[in-house]
């Protein structure tokens, strides 16, 4: 069942982005976090990039509800990202279980890998994750 959901999400996301013939060269698409507990769809928005949750497992939804986020599906995790000349995107990453957003950067490090990095306070409590493209 999950494989069918993943295939449908990936097919829909890749077909919905105008001008992106080969999604492998673009950060736009459907991505899964390292644990496989969330999937986001990244799209063009307001001249930049945004990413909303399209699937979450029960544990992620329970954590979000406990933090006061009633509807995790549809929540925008990646907000107002803008690209620089090097291909790094800067914006804000929303952490549902903290109900806060933080400055972050993302970069396509391979056609199927998106690295998201950020710090909670300036250069302290920093973390990076590699999200994987679903196809």
């Amino acid at each position: 069942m999950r494989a069918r959901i993943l295939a449908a999400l990936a097919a829909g996301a890749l077909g919905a982005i105008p001008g992106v013939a080969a999604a492998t060269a673009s950060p736009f698409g459907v991505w899964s976090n390292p644990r496989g507990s969330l999937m986001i769809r990244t799209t063009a928005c307001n001249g930049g990039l945004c990413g909303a949750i399209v699937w979450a497992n029960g544990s992620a939804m329970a954590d979000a509800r406990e933090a006061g986020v009633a509807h995790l599906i549809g929540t925008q995790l990646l907000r107002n990202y803008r690209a620089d000349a090097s291909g790094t995107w800067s914006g804000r990453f929303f952490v549902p279980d903290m109900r806060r957003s933080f400055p972050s950067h993302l970069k396509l490090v391979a056609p199927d890998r998106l690295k998201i990095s950020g710090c909670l306070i300036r250069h302290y409590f920093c973390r990076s994750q590699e999200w994987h493209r679903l196809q």
Side-chain angles (χ1 to χ4, degrees), residues 40-128:
I40 61 171
R41 178 175 306 169
T42 55
T43 59
C45 69
N46 302 321
L49 177 144
C50 296
I53 297 173
V54 293
W55 179 87
N57 70 10
S59 177
M61 287 194 282
D63 289 345
R65 273 192 306 275
E66 190 174 301
V69 177
H71 303 287
L72 190 58
I73 306 301
T75 298
Q76 197 174 70
L77 287 188
L78 305 177
R79 300 174 175 185
N80 302 314
Y81 281 77
R82 301 281 184 251
D84 66 17
S86 72
T88 298
W89 296 74
S90 298
R92 297 192 65 83
F93 188 92
F94 178 69
V95 181
D97 55 352
M98 296 177 76
R99 294 183 64 185
R100 293 186 56 202
S101 64
F102 300 95
S104 67
H105 306 283
L106 64 87
K107 185 166 182 85
L108 193 65
V109 294
D112 64 342
R113 292 190 335 243
L114 186 69
K115 184 177 181 179
I116 302 174
S117 306
C119 301
L120 296 181
I121 304 170
R122 295 219 178 248
H123 300 289
Y124 299 101
F125 308 109
C126 299
R127 185 172 174 199
S128 291

